[in-house]
Amino acid sequence: KRMTLQWRLMVAYAHRHHADHVLLMYLDQFQVALFTQKAPPCPVSGILFRPTLHYKTFDSIDKPIWKDWLWNWRKRITLQLAFRNRRLHTVFSLDPYSLESLRPFNHNVHVVHLPDPVEVSLVSPEEATALRTANGVDSTRNVLLLFGHLDIRKGLGPLAQALTQLPDTILRQLSIWLVGTLESDQIPYAEAIESLTATRGLQVWRCHSFVSEPFAQVCFAAADGILALYQRHVGMSGILVLAAAAGKPILASDYGLLGELVRRKQLGLAFDTTSPATIAEALTTFTKNPLLGNPEQMRNFASQNRTSEYARVIFGSILVDRSLSVNP
């Protein structure tokens, strides 16, 4: 019902303002509307965030389950019907590996890879050092940052279990930073991690207040590694780009696009983040060799996902049939 109302509102505004083109910033929720609702008076483009038909081709330890197969069957039928809409102009995807799986449906629809727009600012070494000093991090510890909206998807529970499995000698080499808003159901896990400071020698910093974008980038620069312990996450994550821009290896989920990017782009270590034992093994690997990943590949990956690239691709694709020049 919400999808129908939003689609009709979009069509009404397109008529009212005599729009030349409509850009839907989240196309996923309008796939059904494309073949069940009245078309707008102009071409429509949109960003498809959750293409999954190609996930079975990824070299992932976490193989698809029956729900994935059912979901893909439903998505395949939906896309076949949606792509027949003659008003559909361009489908953007943040997943560069999804294009081949989408092209069989395209008919006359353009399918384009879209960079993930992450604005990165320079952080001075003094700022990063000051934050480490303020949190009592000495030269014997490696900082691992878990950043963002800390809900069940971010893997706080498996991380808490993994840390309890590590010997004290490893815990004394780690400083875990939990930075971002904390869902109420995740509070027990955060407290369980913090309890290891008094008894096992782990160092923990928790910051659950509002985090500005500049301060977030200081956190990335001050960390030695970034945790992306998503639980079967579908799609892209800006955490990968921020980590790469800061030149920090990422310890990430092996599932889906995240795992594939970490492996192909050599951004760090990909593993099964649903298993506390596997997480514990990855943390041990990190303490022994914090310099995971390929620095040159990280820089390249970060530069490919700048906001300027994002804007260039969107406007270049939408305006290409209107004979308007686009400044790259």
Side-chain angles (χ1 to χ4, degrees):
K1 182 178 180 181
R2 181 176 59 186
M3 175 271 294
T4 300
L5 292 174
Q6 290 177 342
W7 179 269
R8 291 176 179 174
L9 184 64
M10 177 272 292
V11 172
Y13 272 109
H15 278 287
R16 181 182 302 177
H17 297 290
H18 307 288
D20 296 304
H21 205 111
V22 169
L23 176 63
L24 298 171
M25 301 304 289
Y26 200 99
L27 185 63
D28 300 66
Q29 66 194 50
F30 295 116
Q31 293 174 76
V32 175
L34 282 166
F35 61 87
T36 61
Q37 300 298 313
K38 179 183 177 180
C42 60
V44 176
S45 297
I47 305 172
L48 189 65
F49 280 88
R50 297 171 65 85
T52 57
L53 298 178
H54 59 303
Y55 273 26
K56 62 180 181 291
T57 66
F58 289 163
D59 185 20
S60 172
I61 297 172
D62 190 0
K63 296 301 181 183
I65 58 178
W66 69 268
K67 289 183 179 180
D68 295 326
W69 296 108
L70 182 61
W71 180 261
N72 282 342
W73 175 79
R74 176 180 179 273
K75 183 175 285 288
R76 185 178 296 277
I77 293 175
T78 302
L79 288 173
Q80 285 176 341
L81 295 171
F83 272 60
R84 291 177 182 174
N85 189 314
R86 294 183 179 181
R87 289 295 192 188
L88 188 58
H89 182 277
T90 301
V91 172
F92 299 99
S93 174
L94 297 174
D95 185 341
Y97 312 120
S98 69
L99 305 188
E100 287 303 317
S101 68
L102 294 174
R103 285 193 176 115
F105 312 128
N106 63 24
H107 300 283
N108 294 315
V109 178
H110 303 289
V111 180
V112 178
H113 170 237
L114 182 67
D116 194 6
V118 175
E119 191 69 39
V120 178
S121 58
L122 293 176
V123 177
S124 69
E126 291 76 17
E127 289 178 285
T129 300
L131 183 59
R132 291 175 69 98
T133 302
N135 288 321
V137 180
D138 59 37
S139 59
T140 64
R141 292 185 186 268
N142 289 304
V143 173
L144 281 170
L145 170 67
L146 183 62
F147 177 82
H149 181 60
L150 304 180
D151 57 14
I152 192 171
R153 300 176 308 111
K154 289 296 182 73
L156 201 57
L159 173 62
Q161 296 178 56
L163 289 168
T164 62
Q165 297 177 15
L166 291 173
D168 292 357
T169 53
I170 298 295
L171 293 179
R172 293 192 187 100
Q173 298 177 57
L174 293 174
S175 180
I176 304 294
W177 290 6
L178 307 178
V179 180
T181 54
L182 183 68
E183 285 287 322
S184 58
D185 61 350
Q186 299 299 296
I187 293 175
Y189 300 122
E191 291 177 343
I193 292 173
E194 193 170 35
S195 69
L196 297 174
T197 60
T199 59
R200 306 278 308 279
L202 178 68
Q203 189 178 70
V204 178
W205 174 47
R206 293 172 57 189
C207 177
H208 304 311
S209 57
F210 171 76
V211 178
S212 67
E213 188 171 311
F215 183 66
Q217 299 200 26
V218 175
C219 292
F220 275 81
D224 296 294
I226 311 301
L227 296 172
L229 307 179
Y230 291 100
Q231 304 294 289
R232 297 181 64 81
H233 175 73
V234 174
M236 181 58 173
S237 170
I239 300 294
L240 266 66
V241 184
L242 287 169
K248 303 304 166 68
I250 193 159
L251 279 66
S253 167
D254 174 76
Y255 179 76
L257 176 61
L258 263 64
E260 196 70 3
L261 286 172
V262 172
R263 285 187 295 268
R264 292 200 193 191
K265 304 296 184 181
Q266 301 177 48
L267 304 179
L269 185 64
F271 52 93
D272 181 7
T273 55
T274 65
S275 166
T278 307
I279 296 175
E281 183 180 343
L283 295 176
T284 301
T285 299
F286 175 75
T287 57
K288 294 178 180 178
N289 179 25
L291 302 178
L292 300 169
N294 184 317
E296 183 178 356
Q297 289 272 45
M298 292 178 187
R299 286 191 294 271
N300 291 338
F301 180 69
S303 66
Q304 291 164 7
N305 288 279
R306 293 176 297 184
T307 52
S308 58
E309 282 298 298
Y310 168 86
R312 183 187 65 81
V313 171
I314 282 189
F315 289 110
S317 300
I318 289 178
L319 302 181
V320 68
D321 61 344
R322 301 192 62 212
S323 301
L324 295 179
S325 61
V326 179
N327 186 354

